[in-house]
Amino acid sequence: MKVAVCVKQALEVSRYLEFTADGTRVDPAFVTTMVNEADLSAVEEALALVESAGDGEVVLFSAGEDGADEALRVALALGPQRAVRVWADGLALDDARTVGAALAQAIAAEAPDLVLCGVQSADTGQQSTGPVIAAAWGVPWVPVAHGLSLSGSTLTLHRDFEAGVTETVEVHLPAVVTIQVGANVPRYGTFKDKMRAKKADIPVVEPVGLPAPRMVVTRLTAAPGGSGRSLEMIKGGPADVAARIIALVREAN
Amino acid sequence: MSRCLVLAEVIDGALAAVTAEAVGAAVALGDEVVLAVAAADPDALVAAASFTGVTEIVTVAVGGSDRDHDLAKQIAAAVIADVAPDVVVAPFTIRSTSFGPALAHSLDLALVADAVALQRDEDGALTAIRSIYAGRVHAEVTFPTDRPVLALVRPSVWVPADVGSPVASRSLAVDVEPSKVRALDLVRPSGDVDLTRADVIFSIGRGVGSQENIAAFADVAERLGVALAASRPVVDAGWLPAVHQVGQTGVTVKPRLYVAFGISGALHHLAGMQNSKTILAVNTDGDAPIFGYADLGAVADVHEVVEQLQSLI
Ligand SMILES: Cc1cc2nc3c(=O)[nH]c(=O)nc-3n(C[C@H](O)[C@H](O)[C@H](O)COP(=O)(O)OP(=O)(O)OC[C@H]3O[C@@H](n4cnc5c(N)ncnc54)[C@H](O)[C@@H]3O)c2cc1C
């Protein structure tokens, strides 16, 4: 069986930050990057499914500029066979529809049995890429899922809802599934996989004929403080913190 | 005047509270607002859906579960074809996000997910704000084409619309194809813990490090007579049963005091506790987003703090 997994290089920004001159990006000096957490769980889920199927391959996809190769290499080190980067000059990565349509083109060309994505990217949190890929590729999908098992071409899995409700559902392949954060504990790759990941040749596939982006980011600003609460930092060491907690508990209980 | 269609969220046959907020967002845009209610018995929901500012309710009788996103997408597509809105508003919830982005692709709608503000500029064009990078950055977005916009709006941001005098409703018959996703089994949370009644909650996150470390927190919680809760990773790891989980896919709590030990403050966790009266956060990372939502904070190691708690009680 062939499983495609989409991964993304997610950004984390510091509390103090500045923006690029055009105002649409955070200045890279205030950014650190990491592979999106849920995507690594998607990779783990894919590797486990292929293992229990007995044979097959896991192919990674990421839409982005050169930097996306880094995320692909980190994910390759867990054990997937190949990686493909999807990019065309000016590809509108802010628009989930564009990203989903671009990935769907590259994925369709590989005709996998199953596509897994992380439920959302930790940085921009749209929860949209997976469902868009499914619609663009024309297959069913199941979002916010965990506990996948395959029997023939029937996939059984659990999907989460608000307030702790979990539903078990069944879908026929090919399908797209988005994997919930924490669905599993991703493996550490073997030394051999890590070496292979470092040297892997990552071809670039160029999407064609995509429509103009329907949504564009025009300006970023530092968000006004979270909640309107004013924060008081407790002075002193752990003993002072503990004493304050106990005083507050006694007041509230 | 532009026309805004709101897709009501129905959970277990009842209108969910986020629907009133989505209507609030739509009414605030100053548009004509049509509300679509799809449910097994939608007519029973018309009174509860008669929000002030809604000009018409379109009901759709559905022969399947309100958790089925394949059906939800087909129904939304039919209502959009019928109402021909400029803007479609639905809540940014698991149900709506399950079909919304796919619907946007199929109908070629512009998509903005998890919007925290919607506005019209001087020319009447819709603009939106998304909150990104752990809430640190606001992204202003525009929609450069003339395609209708699907806006999924973040819960607990807009003031909910009030229910007013009865709104005229009409029913729309929608033929749906059978869902491609088959539901087998449903599990609702159960257990003898009821966090919603607790006055004080000690909540532990991934920062506690390991299952062994939980004992100390359970001990102080018990001795102080407060409830023990957790973020999702603690439950995923099997360190505590699911009834202890606070957040979007857990319990929503509003205690007088919520103490977060080693919790970063992800949006999904905040969704379950941000209305607590007093929030105290202990975290080794002074930069953790949780401090933006707390009244009291300490940059400290939770293990040292819990040790001190144990010796003080
Ligand atoms: C659809 C969906 C639904 C979700 N539903 C929920 C939900 O219901 N509830 C929920 O909680 N999450 C939910 N999540 C997951 C959520 O996005 C976060 O991943 C999760 O809340 C993070 O938990 P955490 O803060 O414990 O862990 P982390 O984000 O890993 O944070 C751990 C924190 O501990 C601190 N720390 C580490 N060591 C120490 C120490 N020794 N002392 C003090 N501090 C320390 C770190 O600085 C860090 O801030 C959901 C996600 C999705 C996509």
Side-chain angles (χ1 to χ4, degrees), chain A residues 37-38 119-120 127 144 160-164 179-182, chain B residues 94 204-209 230-234 236 245-251 258 260-272 282-290 298-304:
Chain A
E37 184 184 352
V119 60
Q120 67 164 34
Q127 293 183 25
V144 202
D160 284 349
F161 286 93
E162 275 84 4
I179 302 295
Q180 169 66 316
V181 189
Chain B
I94 293 178
I204 53 181
R206 185 139 62 181
V208 302
S231 67
R232 185 166 177 117
V234 170
D236 283 337
Q245 184 188 317
V246 168
Q248 185 190 21
T249 47
V251 186
Y258 189 90
F261 292 101
I263 292 176
S264 63
L267 176 64
H268 310 94
H269 188 79
L270 295 169
V282 182
N283 200 303
T284 40
D285 176 9
D287 219 15
I290 186 86
V299 177
D301 186 317
V302 292
H303 307 301
E304 291 174 17

Side-chain angles (χ1 to χ4, degrees), chain A residues 3-237:
Chain A
V3 184
V5 183
C6 301
V7 301
K8 172 182 166 180
Q9 188 79 313
L11 308 187
E12 221 171 67
V13 305
S14 56
R15 184 149 54 169
Y16 174 78
L17 48 79
E18 290 171 14
F19 300 99
T20 53
D22 72 348
T24 65
R25 294 280 169 263
V26 175
D27 184 322
F30 303 91
V31 171
T32 49
T33 57
M34 59 179 61
V35 182
N36 185 42
E37 184 184 352
D39 300 351
L40 290 178
S41 283
V43 174
E44 173 60 40
E45 207 70 36
L47 292 168
L49 280 173
V50 166
E51 272 164 14
S52 59
D55 89 301
E57 66 168 343
V58 176
V59 186
L60 303 172
F61 292 83
S62 185
E65 291 182 75
D66 306 358
D69 281 352
E70 243 174 86
L72 289 169
R73 285 185 203 285
V74 170
L76 272 175
L78 271 60
Q81 279 72 16
R82 292 189 286 128
V84 174
R85 182 158 65 88
V86 178
W87 179 248
D89 258 352
L91 188 69
L93 294 175
D94 291 324
D95 186 2
R97 281 201 46 202
T98 306
V99 174
L103 286 167
Q105 264 190 28
I107 288 168
E110 289 270 352
D113 302 291
L114 175 65
V115 178
L116 302 183
C117 301
V119 60
Q120 67 164 34
S121 47
D123 52 0
T124 59
Q126 305 187 70
Q127 293 183 25
S128 299
T129 306
V132 172
I133 290 173
W137 189 32
V139 301
W141 71 102
V142 178
V144 202
H146 49 99
L148 282 62
S149 68
L150 189 65
S151 156
S153 68
T154 304
L155 186 69
T156 307
L157 60 167
H158 308 299
R159 58 179 302 210
D160 284 349
F161 286 93
E162 275 84 4
V165 174
T166 300
E167 188 169 48
T168 307
V169 300
E170 201 178 76
V171 70
H172 288 286
L173 302 186
V176 176
V177 174
T178 76
I179 302 295
Q180 169 66 316
V181 189
N184 53 43
V185 182
R187 65 191 68 189
Y188 291 101
T190 61
F191 180 72
K192 222 176 109 203
D193 285 329
K194 287 189 178 136
M195 294 314 290
R196 197 175 44 84
K198 246 188 211 161
K199 296 194 207 113
D201 178 34
I202 300 179
V204 177
V205 171
E206 195 171 323
V208 292
L210 294 179
R214 279 17 181 171
M215 184 269 261
V216 295
V217 171
T218 48
R219 192 164 76 112
L220 299 185
T221 55
S227 56
R229 294 179 194 250
S230 61
L231 176 68
E232 176 201 333
M233 293 311 277
I234 301 170
K235 294 195 186 66

Side-chain angles (χ1 to χ4, degrees), chain B:
Chain B
M1 195 179 190
S2 312
R3 183 178 303 146
C4 186
L5 170 68
V6 178
L7 304 175
E9 175 124 328
V10 173
I11 299 181
D12 300 334
L15 209 60
V18 282
T19 301
E21 298 174 16
V23 170
V27 171
L29 284 176
D31 294 359
E32 175 194 346
V33 177
V34 178
L35 176 61
V37 180
D41 182 11
D43 293 336
L45 303 180
V46 167
S50 289
F51 298 105
T52 305
V54 172
T55 41
E56 186 185 38
I57 296 174
V58 176
T59 61
V60 180
V62 195
S65 153
D66 53 50
R67 286 178 302 278
D68 191 318
H69 55 282
D70 187 342
L71 296 183
K73 178 182 175 236
Q74 296 183 52
I75 291 161
V79 177
I80 290 169
D82 181 84
V83 173
D86 308 291
V87 180
V88 182
V89 176
F92 184 67
T93 53
I94 293 178
R95 274 177 175 70
S96 295
T97 311
S98 294
F99 70 85
L103 180 73
H105 175 87
S106 301
L107 300 188
D108 192 7
L109 311 174
L111 171 68
V112 56
D114 196 19
V116 297
L118 295 177
Q119 273 141 17
R120 292 204 176 274
D121 67 13
E122 317 76 76
D123 309 323
L126 188 75
T127 66
I129 295 178
R130 306 192 64 239
S131 166
I132 59 175
Y133 303 138
R136 292 197 165 133
V137 172
H138 274 181
E140 297 172 16
V141 309
T142 58
F143 309 99
T145 64
D146 56 4
R147 296 302 304 157
V149 177
L150 170 60
L152 302 175
V153 298
R154 179 180 293 189
S156 301
V157 170
W158 275 270
V159 178
D162 293 323
V163 174
S165 42
V167 173
S169 72
R170 68 182 166 91
S171 75
L172 181 70
V174 178
D175 276 331
V176 291
E177 286 174 25
S179 174
K180 295 196 177 66
V181 180
R182 197 158 83 92
L184 301 175
D185 189 27
L186 188 69
V187 180
R188 296 180 188 276
S190 66
D192 49 7
V193 185
D194 186 0
L195 294 174
T196 61
R197 288 161 180 271
D199 284 328
V200 181
I201 292 177
F202 282 5
S203 193
I204 53 181
R206 185 139 62 181
V208 302
S210 72
Q211 182 158 30
E212 298 78 70
N213 293 340
I214 290 179
F217 293 90
D219 173 53
V220 294
E222 197 193 326
R223 287 203 273 155
L224 286 170
V226 311
L228 187 67
S231 67
R232 185 166 177 117
V234 170
V235 170
D236 283 337
W239 299 347
L240 279 179
V243 284
H244 292 273
Q245 184 188 317
V246 168
Q248 185 190 21
T249 47
V251 186
T252 298
V253 297
K254 245 194 236 183
R256 279 192 229 152
L257 176 64
Y258 189 90
V259 186
F261 292 101
I263 292 176
S264 63
L267 176 64
H268 310 94
H269 188 79
L270 295 169
M273 45 64 77
Q274 62 189 357
N275 292 323
S276 304
K277 184 152 178 285
T278 301
I279 296 172
L280 189 156
V282 182
N283 200 303
T284 40
D285 176 9
D287 219 15
I290 186 86
F291 289 123
Y293 297 84
D295 305 284
L296 288 150
V299 177
D301 186 317
V302 292
H303 307 301
E304 291 174 17
V305 172
V306 81
E307 220 169 83
Q308 292 298 325
L309 282 169
Q310 282 181 306
S311 66
L312 279 177
I313 310 167

